[in-house]
Amino acid sequence: MDLANAISKHLDAELVPVDLRVFADGESKIKVRRVEKDHCVIVQSTYPPTDRHLLQALMLIKGCSEDSAKVYAVMPYMAYSRQDRAFLKGEVVSMDLVAKLIEAVGTKRLITVDIHSPASLSYFTINAQNISAVSLLARYAKLKFKSNVPIVVSPDEGGIQRAVEFANELGTDMIALTKRRNKDTGEVIIEEKELNCNMVDKNLVLLDDTISTGASIIEACRFLRRYKPNKICAMCTHAVLIGNTERRVKAAGIEEIISTNSIPGNNAKIDLAGLISGQIKNIIESKNLS
Ligand code: R5P
């Protein structure tokens, strides 16, 4: 069941079908039935084709905000969050633009899940809220690994907080690698350093917010192999998995990728519907639309 459908079931809300056409030149056309309700929830992650999904989400929000008083946009995977500042001179801060577009079409509130940079939300003037799926991921790992509790590895220092929370829920150890990315080429390098942790024959979980090209976890896996672990799995909130990434990740020795259903696909084993619906219920019940 897709995420929008699952959320509608949790909320006991009507699921409104959308008539979507993409013309030969790539233009999208959207037709949506009039929604005469107080609240309307649009669910659309902006995964590839990113710009098309973003524009379709904007079209839908615009269509529904013309009828419905309060449109909540649920964008579990929020693209452009990595462009939340100009890293190199001349770079456009795309997240600022995306925030302005989302507001311009009539969004009253925004919900994202494990957004890459929470600082991105500062570009919104509406209430934009990020929720964490770390507990859901940890609960899944607990059931999967049972007594064979894995060591948690963050491929970069930016992910330490996430890895600490996950490891605490599992009652296990965590390690953070040091990753550098060439800002021009995007090449990923895991810095050489000695890890003071016995990983021999242990299971490892590489934990990240997003797996996109796979470069981060593939390089992390190469680095970790020298510590002779047993199995290495990858868990993430958003499995973007561009092109043949999944095949390359497996070829690098990562046994399994486990993600949430923020993006549909074979690896989407963890359902976000309960988490997101709970948040929507809180918003509606508190009637706090500031
Ligand atoms: C970046 O710092 C993020 O936390 C992820 O590590 C990154 O988005 C993964 O991208 P890729 O799979 O392309 O290395």
Side-chain angles (χ1 to χ4, degrees):
M1 190 190 308
D2 72 28
L3 185 55
N5 198 350
I7 290 175
S8 77
K9 295 237 171 343
H10 275 266
L11 293 173
D12 197 18
E14 183 188 1
L15 182 70
V16 178
V18 173
D19 185 3
L20 166 68
R21 282 176 67 191
V22 178
F23 293 109
D25 64 357
E27 275 182 20
S28 299
K29 179 178 176 165
I30 279 179
K31 198 164 91 194
V32 61
R33 181 158 55 70
R34 311 313 286 176
V35 183
E36 281 150 18
K37 300 269 186 193
D38 289 343
H39 308 280
C40 172
V41 179
I42 310 284
V43 182
Q44 179 65 65
S45 274
T46 50
Y47 58 93
T50 303
D51 292 347
R52 176 174 291 177
H53 281 143
L54 176 62
L55 198 65
Q56 289 173 350
L58 295 172
M59 292 164 98
L60 255 181
I61 296 167
K62 181 168 190 317
C64 294
S65 65
E66 282 165 3
D67 301 325
S68 171
K70 291 143 200 156
V71 173
Y72 311 124
V74 175
M75 299 175 132
Y77 174 65
M78 172 59 84
Y80 287 104
S81 175
R82 285 186 285 187
Q83 298 184 44
D84 65 337
R85 69 197 101 143
F87 295 93
L88 299 174
K89 198 161 175 267
E91 279 180 359
V92 173
V93 182
S94 308
M95 191 61 223
D96 184 17
L97 169 66
V98 169
K100 288 188 167 64
L101 291 172
I102 291 173
E103 290 198 14
V105 289
T107 311
K108 289 284 181 285
R109 282 193 78 142
L110 173 75
I111 296 174
T112 63
V113 181
D114 289 339
I115 190 166
H116 174 72
S117 158
S120 306
L121 299 179
S122 65
Y123 292 111
F124 289 88
T125 62
I126 56 167
N127 192 323
Q129 186 179 19
N130 181 57
I131 48 183
S132 166
V134 172
S135 276
L136 283 182
L137 293 168
R139 250 179 275 157
Y140 186 95
K142 247 185 200 166
L143 291 174
K144 178 179 170 63
F145 293 101
K146 301 200 170 71
S147 57
N148 227 333
V149 187
I151 295 171
V152 182
V153 185
S154 173
D156 54 47
E157 288 170 346
I160 289 181
Q161 187 53 36
R162 178 184 315 115
V164 166
E165 280 172 39
F166 185 100
N168 285 347
E169 292 218 22
L170 256 71
T172 186
D173 295 328
M174 90 90 196
I175 305 163
L177 308 182
T178 304
K179 178 178 93 177
R180 278 185 292 112
R181 198 187 279 273
N182 182 311
K183 289 194 173 61
D184 290 309
T185 63
E187 191 199 356
V188 166
I189 294 157
I190 299 291
E191 226 167 67
E192 287 296 325
K193 68 176 178 186
E194 199 50 47
L195 298 175
N196 191 14
C197 178
N198 176 13
M199 289 179 249
V200 177
D201 292 334
K202 301 265 173 64
N203 292 330
L204 305 182
V205 167
L206 273 163
L207 183 70
D208 215 338
D209 57 334
T210 303
I211 302 174
S212 186
T213 64
S216 303
I217 57 164
I218 289 172
E219 289 310 310
C221 176
R222 283 204 186 114
F223 179 86
L224 292 165
R225 284 256 154 249
R226 69 186 73 169
Y227 292 90
K228 310 261 180 280
N230 179 28
K231 283 184 199 162
I232 304 183
C233 290
M235 293 188 77
C236 64
T237 307
H238 312 295
V240 180
L241 303 178
I242 313 283
N244 63 358
T245 294
E246 185 167 359
R247 195 165 48 73
R248 289 188 302 102
V249 164
K250 299 263 171 76
I254 295 173
E255 199 150 292
E256 195 181 352
I257 300 172
I258 299 160
S259 74
T260 74
N261 58 350
S262 70
I263 297 174
N266 299 338
N267 306 289
K269 295 179 182 142
I270 301 169
D271 186 14
L272 291 174
L275 182 73
I276 293 171
S277 315
Q279 202 54 43
I280 295 169
K281 276 185 194 153
N282 287 343
I283 294 171
I284 292 174
E285 279 160 19
S286 73
K287 297 196 175 48
N288 171 12
L289 287 172
S290 59

